Amino acid sequence: MKTKLTILSLSAVALIVLFMTYHVMGNWDYVLPSRGRKLAAILITGAVIAVSTVVFQSITNNRILTPSILGLDSLYMLIQTFGVYALGSSNMTFMNKNVNFLFSACIMVLFSGVLYKLMFRREGQNIYFLLLVGLIMGTMFQSASSFMEVLIDPNEFLILQGKMFASFNNVSSDLLILSTVVLALTTLYFMRFVKYLDVISLGKDEAINLGINYDYVVKRLLVIVSIYVSISTALVGPITFLGLLVANVGHQLFRTYKHAYLIPGTILLSIIALVGGQFLVERVFGFTTTVSVIINFAGGVYFVYLLLKENKSW
Amino acid sequence: MKLKYLSLLLIVFSFISLFIGVKDISPLDLFSLTESQIQTLLVSRIPRLAALIIAGVSMSIAGLIMQQLSRNKFVSPTTAGTMDSAKFGILVSLMLFTGATPMQKLLVAFVFALLGTFIFMRILDRIKFKDSIFIPLVGLMFGNIVGSITTFFAYKNDLVQNISSWMLGDFSTIIKGQYELIYISIPLVILAYVFANKFTVAGMGEDFSVNLGMNYKAVVNVGLVIVALISSVVILTVGTIPFLGLVVPNIVTLYIGDNLKKNLAHTAILGAVFLLFCDILGRLIIYPYEISISLTVGVIGSGLFIYLLMRRKAN
Amino acid sequence: MVEVKHVTKRYGGVIVVDDVSLSITKGAITSFIGPNGAGKSTLLSMISRLISKDAGEVLIEGKEIGSCKSNELARKISVLKQSNHISVRLTVKELVSFGRFPYSQGKLTPEDRAFVDEAIAYMDLQEMQDKYIDQLSGGQRQRAYIAMVMAQDTEYILLDEPLNNLDMKHSVQIMKVLRRLVEEKGKTIVLVIHDINFASCYSDYIVALKNGRVASSGTVDEIIDTAVLRDVYDMDIPIETIGGRKIGVYF
């Protein structure tokens, strides 16, 4: 197990070095800060998406779910579409990025808060019920966005299209610092619950039997997960299936229930996928596609494979 | 609710639908129509009405068939990846043939929709945990995934906004000469009626139907073909109408129970009434502009869906 | 002592457990019997706080379970449900080690390890302790779960149909172990069980439930009785005494 982690860490570091130094041609002053920002954005979102998916899957006892289906991605798109539709793309670009970030993140956290409140009001609610409602809301947001999308002028649509897919290219340093602070605080809070994760993955009855205040812990974990997802989505845009991809590869690779290995392993996988993907996009595809499109594609295909394979874990 | 009242409602809504629009036509003009009024009626209003009724009827029936076959109240073309697969098919047809004819699009979309639905049914077989809420969750996820594959190719070919327009259900673009494809649904609905009892038996499972001497696979395949074809036709002529096939059959079950033969007529008419209602609403709210049908149905439908889920939990 | 006072549970409009009061004697096996839908499992789940109750209270050593800290409660009372569907891939030893979670919060001390080893030995699982749970047979798996509950080292052990899907040999094996736990370790065990003859041969007290209410309760001799059982099951069950044990011939 430890060797696997070491190998993963080494590959991640090697990829990062390659990414930072490839084809610099002496322009260190320009290249380093610009790639450094990209890298920071990748590290943050990669880690956050990995952790939130692993935690989410342990809570739901299910390997084919991801927090993206809480409807947050679609909500983000609705906010962005509405922004472009109502204010126009030029105003949208001029609109302070920080304001947009904070506004979107807050709305998303608020939405999931309200969703949880409504769903957990009645005792004994099935968590799948919560997810289904989230997903339905997501479909509704999508209908609303596509209604506006068609009304938008094709030129403005291009601006919007840029936001539909996660991109690490234009993340400003202020935003990076801001989201790092928020995430660090959230993670500090999350640390209190880490020790419960192994037991929670056994299932509700077992967890209660082993003395976990189940409802209390799960609600807090869900809030943490939605803060994570909101921040990463607001920072770079939606990458729906990255979490699904890396969490499942992580489970396959480590074959353990121990989150002490699963979480770092999945974080590393996620970083490898993103740095590698970004490298491919820049050097091989020459920016004709985006990382999130590639990863969603790969993740999606892998997921269908998982579903069709006979499997006991869900 | 009696079928009689439902039919009456349908007639009333159809009537209203004919007389709403920017071009002023009042029922009183009916016997003294001007040339341009006749034109409007023939080219736009009547085709629109026909498309609405056919789409409402056929999508609801498609939903009902899927629910019978999968024995799950919450499976429908929206929650089983059928719609998304059809969309993927349209994209592929656009990539394959530049300026694809409607027929080419329909054919490719149909093949993909059928394939997608088939994969979903296969997934259903593999899933051991057959919680009635879990199944639609998997279906919606599956749909999202097919959607992301579509996006992958759309992005590479600069077709994202084009695909977006297929996402959107819209009856305002229906005019004579561009919507006739939807009539393909009529024989399909009749076929569904003929096969109704067999679908019910097939829904009981393979062992059960074989025991009753039925060719299980053939019946399931007929069902899936009907569903895939209806979904492709509707998506091509109108666009996506989310949750229609899910909400309507469920409402019918609420008030008359689970007898398929009896439900069919109710489901068909209620589907048309529901869609007409949403359309009229969309045309009136920001008159003289229109809100697209997928938005009105999306909002009303998802609200109803959540209500149905809540109800189910309460029992 | 565990005391149940006026406990009620409704699902939708249906009352599943209706104003049940009873007390469970320490250091003995108490079995809940009754027809399907009598509310046995629901009652057990409420006593073990797996589901909430709509009315009434459950007191453990005089303290209402709702007001106890969850972690402290897990050192007093443990519960095993009939459907042990664990989706995680675990070995027997790892499963049993989870029983120490209420004490160690995941970091096992040497003392915890001793408890784990003892529980594994007690349930005769040494040879398969490194096997994965999903590789075991039904009887072995049930023993592994009981070993976990043993490692939890609680005074009260609640089991929901522990003999479900087990053949005769394994059923007897499990019941004998439970008996030993009571006699050697002084545990208090509460069972939901279907077969009245298992209840008769291995328990000290029986609570018979019907339609969500306690139909009758008492010692084995009081309950395993044709007249009492007729009330509970609506059928005549002649009782024979064979080798000092009361056997209901319900066939």
Side-chain angles (χ1 to χ4, degrees), chain C residues 89-146:
Chain C
R89 203 171 145 82
L90 292 172
T91 65
V92 171
K93 191 163 188 177
E94 286 168 340
L95 178 76
V96 179
S97 304
F98 269 113
R100 297 306 294 169
F101 189 83
Y103 302 88
S104 62
Q105 304 289 300
K107 289 197 185 68
L108 293 187
T109 62
E111 193 203 346
D112 291 324
R113 286 181 205 287
F115 268 104
V116 170
D117 289 337
E118 194 202 335
I120 288 178
Y122 204 89
M123 296 310 287
D124 201 16
L125 289 163
Q126 285 110 324
E127 277 161 34
M128 51 198 96
Q129 58 175 320
D130 293 319
K131 274 198 177 176
Y132 283 96
I133 298 291
D134 50 10
Q135 298 170 329
L136 303 182
S137 72
Q140 291 168 338
R141 196 175 309 152
Q142 192 62 279
R143 265 154 58 209
Y145 281 109
I146 293 177

Side-chain angles (χ1 to χ4, degrees), chain A residues 77 142 149 157 161 163-166 238 240-241 288-290 292-297, chain B residues 84 87-89 91-92 95 143-161 163-164 167:
Chain A
M77 276 321 300
Q142 240 170 36
E149 269 163 34
F157 185 78
Q161 180 173 325
K163 291 175 184 289
M164 277 172 145
F165 308 102
T240 314
F241 294 117
T288 52
T289 185
T290 80
S292 80
V293 171
I294 293 187
I295 285 184
N296 279 347
F297 179 67
Chain B
D84 296 278
K87 233 173 284 166
F88 187 31
L91 177 78
V92 171
M95 279 159 46
N144 279 353
I145 281 158
V146 177
S148 75
I149 298 173
T150 311
T151 313
F152 176 79
F153 290 109
Y155 192 90
K156 286 196 74 158
N157 296 287
D158 267 328
L159 290 169
V160 176
Q161 197 170 16
I163 286 296
S164 267
M167 290 274 295

